[in-house]
Amino acid sequence: MIKIEIVKDAGAAAKVAATHYKSLLNDKANAVLGLATGSTPIPLYKELLELHSENAIDFSQSICFNLDEYCDLPNTHRESYANFMYEQFYHLANVEENNRHIPDGNAHDLEKECERYNDLLSQHGPIDLQLLGIGRNGHIGFNEPNTELKAGTHIVKLSEATVKDNSRFFEEEEEVPAFAISVGMKSILSSKKIILLAIGEEKAKIVHALMHSGITTLLPASFLHIHTNVTLICDEAAASLL
Ligand code: PGA
C-alpha cells in the first residue's frame, strides 16, 4: 500500500521528508540510509544540511548507500552521482567517509562490482529508510520498465526515455552514459521504510499511473504497492491528475 501525502511545493515536501530522517536518526543513530540522486532530492539534502547545522540531526553513525551510478563517467565528472552526493550533501554532512557507499561505475570488472555492492548491502541491510525519486517512465533507481526486473545489483542499459530525460544535465544527449549500475528491486523492497518523492507537473502522469496501476514490470515503481511502509510525498503539481 502506498500512503500519499500531498503538500504545496518542493520546499514543503523536503520539510516533511526531513522529519522522517530526524525521527529515525534520533531513535537509531546508526541507521542505514538509502540515498537517491536527481533533481528531486536536492531540496531535501538542503533541508537535512540545515538541520545538521542547527545540531538537530547527526549523521556521524549513519551508513549510506546510493541507489545507482553511471558507468564510464569519471567520479570527478560534474554529473557523476559520486560527485552529486559530495556537492549536495557529503561535503557538509558528517557522514564518515567509509560509510558513504555508491557503486563504482568505473570498476575494471563491473559484474564483480555489482556483486561487491550487493554483498555490502546484505551485510549492512536492510536499509532503514530508502529515499526514491520516480522517473517519468516509472523507474526507481535505474530499474527500468522491462518484461522482467532484477532482484540484485546489476548493470543496466538505460532506456531511451531515461537518456532523453537525463540529457538535461549534460551539454549533449550523446554525453549521457549508456549504462549504469543500479541496486535491484530486492534491496529496495526489503527496506524497512520507503519515501518516494515526486515533484512538479512533469511527474503528474506517472504519479497518476502509479496510483492506478496494478503491479507490473512495465512500471517498476508499482512494486511499491506490495510494501507495507511506503509514503509518497508529492507537491500539488505532481498530484494534479490524481
Ligand atoms: P529526477 O529523477 O529527480 O531528476 O526527476 C528522478 C528519477 O529518475 O528517479
Side-chain angles (χ1 to χ4, degrees):
M1 201 195 86
I2 301 179
K3 279 174 279 179
I4 179 160
E5 207 168 324
I6 301 169
V7 296
K8 192 163 179 24
D9 53 24
K15 278 201 187 331
V16 171
T19 61
H20 291 269
Y21 286 82
K22 203 172 151 191
S23 66
L24 171 64
L25 287 164
N26 280 342
D27 283 354
K28 186 179 179 186
N30 63 348
V32 182
L33 306 178
L35 300 179
T37 51
S39 45
T40 308
I42 292 175
L44 171 61
Y45 290 129
K46 269 207 183 108
E47 187 64 29
L48 292 176
L49 289 176
E50 200 157 314
L51 290 172
H52 173 58
S53 72
E54 296 161 0
N55 291 323
I57 197 165
D58 174 26
F59 299 100
S60 63
Q61 291 180 58
S62 66
I63 303 168
C64 298
F65 283 91
N66 266 81
L67 284 165
D68 44 23
E69 176 61 288
Y70 290 120
C71 291
D72 297 321
L73 195 66
N75 282 350
T76 49
H77 191 285
R78 201 170 53 93
E79 294 306 330
S80 78
Y81 290 163
N83 186 61
F84 173 100
M85 288 309 298
Y86 182 77
E87 294 292 336
Q88 301 297 333
F89 189 53
Y90 288 144
H91 79 295
L92 291 174
N94 62 337
V95 180
E96 292 284 339
E97 232 166 277
N98 55 2
N99 286 333
R100 305 172 182 180
H101 301 292
I102 188 158
D104 178 3
N106 294 292
H108 173 64
D109 185 336
L110 289 172
E111 292 289 353
K112 266 218 176 100
E113 172 59 10
C114 291
E115 250 174 66
R116 181 195 71 84
Y117 202 71
N118 221 40
D119 289 349
L120 209 57
L121 273 165
S122 319
Q123 211 178 302
H124 291 283
I127 286 169
D128 289 293
L129 178 53
Q130 176 67 59
L131 175 66
L132 295 175
I134 183 169
R136 289 195 306 158
N137 65 356
H139 72 204
I140 46 177
F142 275 137
N143 292 282
E144 299 278 36
N146 209 329
T147 48
E148 57 180 46
L149 299 175
K150 297 270 197 278
T153 306
H154 59 285
I155 301 161
V156 55
K157 180 165 171 34
L158 298 179
S159 68
E160 265 178 47
T162 295
V163 169
K164 219 176 190 41
D165 277 352
N166 288 11
S167 66
R168 72 190 194 277
F169 299 117
F170 293 81
E171 270 168 32
E172 292 182 46
E173 195 170 313
E174 292 68 46
E175 277 181 53
V176 182
F179 291 89
I181 294 180
S182 177
V183 302
M185 297 300 285
K186 186 177 168 199
S187 63
I188 293 176
L189 293 170
S190 7
S191 309
K192 293 187 191 158
K193 176 172 172 159
I194 298 175
I195 290 180
L196 173 61
L197 282 178
I199 303 296
E201 64 175 347
E202 65 278 11
K203 296 291 166 72
K205 262 193 194 158
I206 195 66
V207 165
H208 176 269
L210 169 65
M211 296 313 283
H212 292 89
S213 164
I215 296 163
T216 165
T217 59
L218 300 178
L219 201 173
S222 67
F223 279 72
L224 298 174
H225 286 297
I226 61 178
H227 195 281
T228 53
N229 194 355
V230 181
T231 304
L232 165 61
I233 302 173
C234 56
D235 67 347
E236 286 173 359
S240 59
L241 297 177
L242 287 177

